[in-house]
Amino acid sequence: MGFMSGKKALIVGLASKRSIAWGIAKAFSREGAELAFTYQNEKLKPRVETMAKELNSDITFPLDVANDDEINAVVPTLNKHWSTLDILVHSVGFAPRDQLAGTFVESITREGFQIAHDISSYSLAGLAKATLPLMKNSQGAILTLSYLGAIRAIPNYNVMGLAKASLEANVRFLAADLGPQGIRVNGISAGAIKTLAAAGISDFRKMLTHMERVAPIRRNITPEDVGNAAAFLCSDLAAGVTGEIMYVDGGFSKIGMHLDES
Ligand SMILES: NC(=O)c1ccc[n+]([C@@H]2O[C@H](COP(=O)([O-])OP(=O)(O)OC[C@H]3O[C@@H](n4cnc5c(N)ncnc54)[C@H](O)[C@@H]3O)[C@@H](O)[C@H]2O)c1
């Protein structure tokens, strides 16, 4: 029996088998959790349905986090299958492509700022608020995905760094509010991983090469690495952990200087 046996988890942010959400879903399923998935749009629907089936889930439904009606439909839709929800995984991030190239000062626009913060940060609070009726008193957990750009200036990450900083503050405020209602809220700051979202960041390949060379574990992070940490954080094993940003980045964020070129 896995350590997530009996848990019901909604996973938001599955797009492909490279998605961090896929690594998380696989780890949750291996540890015995029951899963439900959302897809952003009709184009992703068949792909998400097929992946869900692989993990024995037939609960999939549309959710564009920019759309309040779709956020408000989450609970009624889930209620057709489940009467409670133990875990919400928010693995969603977006900024227009022109925001993720060039310098921060050159690229930043009011519209880019608004979109990045709306989709990548507000949506966590919006979903936490909407799913509260199902999660209340569940001894449940909410998890989101952040990146080092929240606390360091990273080339080309630009406005997404600001959105991730907002997201990390969001984790702390939600943890403070929802803790008394039995819900823990944490984030994982993952190392760079080649996914569809990451492909939008200019020079992303160079980031991967750099991390592989410099990170203490001398390799890049995989969705499976993140999935295993997520399973721990969303299980009762982490019952004493909330408001935390856990780094799953091979130690990259802990290095101040790297002189050895080998
Ligand atoms: N890949 C990395 O290097 C990396 C590192 C650290 C953190 N992250 C974060 O991990 C999370 C997942 O990204 P990923 O790298 O797995 O990429 P991905 O492209 O596989 O997943 C991003 C998901 O966001 C969803 N999404 C975007 N806009 C949406 C909207 N309006 N409504 C609903 N869903 C929407 C997409 O459909 C997709 O499923 C993001 O928050 C990302 O910022 C990624």
Side-chain angles (χ1 to χ4, degrees):
M1 202 169 74
F3 61 76
M4 299 183 82
S5 181
K7 300 276 190 200
K8 292 178 170 54
L10 173 65
I11 299 192
V12 179
L14 183 60
S16 78
K17 287 206 167 172
R18 288 177 185 269
S19 290
I20 291 174
W22 182 239
I24 294 174
K26 283 190 298 181
F28 281 16
S29 173
R30 184 193 69 219
E31 297 305 333
E34 282 178 65
L35 305 177
F37 297 88
T38 66
Y39 48 85
Q40 183 189 349
N41 50 41
E42 288 302 301
K43 192 176 152 205
L44 289 174
K45 180 179 178 192
R47 212 190 293 170
V48 170
E49 283 176 350
T50 305
M51 287 188 279
K53 277 206 179 76
E54 266 188 53
L55 300 180
N56 304 313
S57 167
D58 57 3
I59 311 177
T60 59
F61 56 94
L63 174 60
D64 180 337
V65 297
N67 182 326
D68 282 336
D69 291 340
E70 292 190 12
I71 289 183
N72 291 330
V74 168
V75 163
T77 307
L78 266 183
N79 246 331
K80 290 181 197 156
H81 308 272
W82 295 341
S83 55
T84 56
L85 176 67
D86 303 295
I87 298 166
L88 169 66
V89 173
H90 172 273
S91 188
V92 172
F94 178 77
R97 219 181 170 101
D98 68 334
Q99 298 292 294
L100 302 172
T103 69
F104 171 64
V105 172
E106 281 163 5
S107 64
I108 186 86
T109 62
R110 187 186 298 274
E111 190 191 10
F113 180 97
Q114 284 173 344
I115 294 173
H117 284 71
D118 183 26
I119 304 300
S120 315
S121 179
Y122 169 74
S123 60
L124 175 68
L127 277 173
K129 190 171 175 173
T131 53
L132 191 55
L134 275 188
M135 292 196 75
K136 228 185 239 179
N137 305 320
S138 66
Q139 301 308 313
I142 297 176
L143 179 76
T144 189
L145 273 300
S146 190
Y147 179 60
L148 185 61
I151 58 161
R152 306 253 191 281
I154 305 276
N156 300 308
Y157 202 63
N158 300 342
V159 74
M160 272 305 286
L162 281 67
K164 292 300 192 191
S166 161
L167 180 72
E168 293 187 3
N170 211 324
V171 165
R172 292 184 285 274
F173 275 85
L174 287 172
D177 277 1
L178 301 183
Q181 307 194 50
I183 303 167
R184 297 179 298 104
V185 186
N186 292 295
I188 287 178
S189 184
I193 300 174
K194 195 176 166 209
T195 60
L196 291 173
I201 303 166
S202 193
D203 284 336
F204 186 74
R205 218 170 264 169
K206 284 188 191 167
M207 287 168 73
L208 287 176
T209 310
H210 177 65
M211 175 157 158
E212 200 170 29
R213 201 165 53 80
V214 171
I217 65 169
R218 296 291 194 274
R219 68 166 174 84
N220 279 302
I221 290 302
T222 64
E224 289 72 24
D225 292 324
V226 180
N228 288 331
F232 160 71
L233 278 177
C234 292
S235 76
D236 297 341
L237 293 174
V241 183
T242 193
E244 193 62 65
I245 304 297
M246 177 194 270
Y247 283 76
V248 181
D249 68 346
F252 180 75
S253 56
K254 305 299 174 276
I255 296 301
M257 196 177 287
H258 179 76
L259 297 177
D260 181 3
E261 290 300 315
S262 63

